[in-house]
């Protein structure tokens, strides 16, 4: 369960899971949605696979990812998304004022 | 899906339950009439009622057995399905065995101090927990190939139907708990028995709907 919490704590990984809820996608299709390096994305896929939240099937050189989350894990995904876990904290008022100046 | 060990245990349970029913009927002067203690005195039922629970257990074995025949796949995938179903099958088998023992005891006018209504409610709640656990794990199960082309779904379609069935099972399990906690026992039994076919029908309808949709896997 720790692996699941670790996987769901990151907003990028949650976004990957949300995309995979709609349909299975290959690594290239998923990469189009994120402005990050492919190596970073691969690390996210590895964490999701380790937590058993996605299933990867290789066909030739293309790896297709498919959602493999239990009902409880999907509920946790919705909850962590709604609560915004792992998102950068909003700036404090004092700092915001300084920025405005 | 059912593995050999679970199948063996459940068949032994059915044999034991059937043997106790035959033994009890052999003790009665008229095997067609069994009397049970009720809230307003004795209630007479047909003797065949003692075979109802063993028949339910046999039906419970037949469903995963039929699934084993209808679907095929790699050894690992089949083992994953068998492991996933084992707890529910053995748990339900144990619940049915306890229910049969209770029914036999009541037919002998024993165990009168046990509150039958509370036992029924408790049994339903434990069954509901098993349904919820099974529903939660359903989306994790691997893809299997159907023997008949009409039942064939690709990996994504099967994953979707399992997710749907999982959510439905959890909703059904929670509804069972609510029913067990609130409704009178006769209404509770009717409610559960009436909604079980609806649960199967909704799953079948969803599977039928999915088969008509284009496969995402071919597009991915």
């Amino acid at each position: 369960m720790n692996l699941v919490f670790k996987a769901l704590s990151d907003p990028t990984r949650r976004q990957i899971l949300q995309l995979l809820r709609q349909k299975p996608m290959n690594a290239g299709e998923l990469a189009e949605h994120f402005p990050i390096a492919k190596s970073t994305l691969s690390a996210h896929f590895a964490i999701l696979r380790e937590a058993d939240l996605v299933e990867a099937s290789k066909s030739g050189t293309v790896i297709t990812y498919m959602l493999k989350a239990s009902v409880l894990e999907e509920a946790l995904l919705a909850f962590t998304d709604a609560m915004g876990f792992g998102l950068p904290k909003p700036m404090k008022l004092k700092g915001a004022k300084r920025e405005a100046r | 899906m059912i593995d050999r060990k679970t199948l063996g245990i459940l068949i032994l349970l059915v044999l034991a339950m059937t043997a106790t029913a035959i033994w009890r009927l052999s003790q009665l002067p008229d095997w067609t009439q069994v009397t049970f203690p009720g809230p307003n005195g004795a209630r007479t039922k047909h003797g065949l009622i003692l075979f109802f629970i063993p028949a339910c257990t046999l039906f419970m074995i037949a469903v995963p057995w039929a699934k084993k025949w209808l679907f095929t796949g790699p050894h690992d995938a089949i083992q994953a399905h068998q492991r996933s179903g084992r707890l529910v099958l053995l748990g339900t088998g144990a619940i049915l065995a306890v229910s049969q023992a209770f029914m036999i005891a009541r037919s002998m006018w024993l165990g009168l101090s046990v509150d039958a209504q509370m036992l029924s409610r408790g049994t339903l709640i434990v069954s509901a927990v098993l349904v919820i656990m099974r529903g939660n794990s359903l989306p994790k199960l691997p893809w299997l190939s159907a023997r008949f082309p009409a039942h064939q779904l690709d990996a994504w379609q099967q994953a979707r139907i399992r997710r749907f069935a999982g959510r439905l099972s959890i909703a059904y399990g929670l509804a069972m708990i609510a029913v067990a906690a609130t409704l009178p026992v006769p209404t509770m039994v009717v409610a559960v028995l009436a909604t079980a076919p609806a649960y199967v029908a909704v799953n079948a309808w969803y599977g039928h709907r999915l088969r008509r949709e284009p496969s995402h896997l071919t597009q991915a």
Side-chain angles (χ1 to χ4, degrees):
Chain A
M1 207 63 191
N2 273 345
L3 292 172
V4 174
F5 283 122
K6 184 189 166 191
L8 295 179
S9 65
D10 184 86
T12 307
R13 288 195 286 270
R14 287 204 302 270
Q15 209 179 332
I16 294 172
L17 293 175
Q18 293 288 11
L19 287 167
L20 292 177
R21 280 180 77 185
Q22 294 157 22
K23 62 173 189 169
M25 290 184 186
N26 60 45
E29 284 176 319
L30 282 165
E32 285 170 13
H33 293 85
F34 302 96
I36 51 176
K38 282 195 174 176
S39 57
T40 314
L41 207 53
S42 293
H44 284 310
F45 291 146
I47 291 170
L48 289 171
R49 267 202 310 223
E50 200 184 357
D52 204 25
L53 291 171
V54 297
E55 192 178 1
S57 55
K58 199 170 181 180
S59 156
T61 55
V62 180
I63 302 174
T64 305
Y65 292 95
M66 207 163 71
L67 186 70
K68 195 190 167 191
S70 70
V71 180
L72 181 65
E73 286 162 354
E74 269 201 82
L76 272 174
L77 168 65
F79 178 72
T80 48
D81 242 1
M83 300 302 286
F85 288 139
L87 288 173
K89 286 177 184 165
M91 274 189 288
K92 286 178 184 169
L93 198 60
K94 205 174 168 185
K97 275 183 183 171
R98 206 175 292 152
E99 286 276 314
R101 277 177 212 155
Chain B
M1 297 253 167
I2 187 166
D3 60 304
R4 270 190 197 175
K5 199 175 168 185
T6 311
L7 181 69
I9 293 169
L10 290 174
I11 285 176
L12 279 177
L13 270 181
V14 172
L15 290 175
M17 285 191 262
T18 311
T20 52
I22 292 170
W23 169 78
R24 177 65 193 126
L25 291 179
S26 71
Q27 288 187 326
L28 296 170
D30 178 7
W31 73 270
T32 59
Q33 292 196 331
V34 189
T35 52
F36 292 96
N40 307 316
R43 286 177 306 156
T44 304
K45 301 263 183 186
H46 197 283
L48 288 178
I49 190 123
L50 296 183
F51 294 101
F52 177 71
I53 293 175
C56 287
T57 315
L58 263 184
F59 178 73
M60 185 186 80
I61 298 170
V63 173
W65 183 258
K67 200 176 159 195
K68 194 177 176 181
W69 184 71
L70 285 170
F71 293 93
T72 180
H75 185 64
D76 291 353
I78 287 177
Q79 273 195 329
H81 278 262
Q82 288 175 343
R83 266 197 310 272
S84 162
R86 190 179 297 153
L87 177 70
V88 175
L89 286 169
L90 290 176
T92 315
I95 289 170
L96 290 168
V98 169
S99 306
Q100 175 74 353
F102 186 69
M103 195 189 260
I104 298 283
R106 295 288 272 196
S107 75
M108 297 165 77
W109 290 69
L110 297 171
L112 298 178
S113 58
V114 180
D115 187 345
Q117 294 219 345
M118 284 308 287
L119 191 76
S120 307
R121 288 182 198 282
T123 304
L124 189 63
I125 289 171
V126 174
S127 309
V129 171
L130 288 172
V131 168
I132 289 172
M133 284 168 67
R134 174 75 172 152
N136 184 49
S137 66
L138 269 179
K140 289 260 183 208
L141 293 176
W143 177 79
L144 289 176
S145 171
R147 281 196 202 274
F148 300 108
H151 296 139
Q152 195 68 273
L153 292 169
D154 68 26
W156 172 239
Q157 288 169 329
Q158 269 195 20
R160 277 182 68 189
I161 198 169
R162 288 208 179 98
R163 268 160 66 188
F164 179 79
R167 287 175 195 168
L168 196 66
S169 300
I170 289 181
Y172 187 59
L174 292 174
M176 276 166 78
I177 291 174
V179 159
T182 53
L183 294 183
V185 171
T187 320
M188 175 186 98
V189 173
V190 171
V192 171
L193 292 180
T195 47
Y199 166 83
V200 176
V202 169
N203 272 320
W205 162 80
Y206 192 74
H208 178 69
R209 211 189 77 170
L210 278 181
R211 266 187 283 278
R212 299 165 96 186
E213 284 182 13
S215 171
H216 275 298
L217 278 181
T218 51
Q219 296 163 16

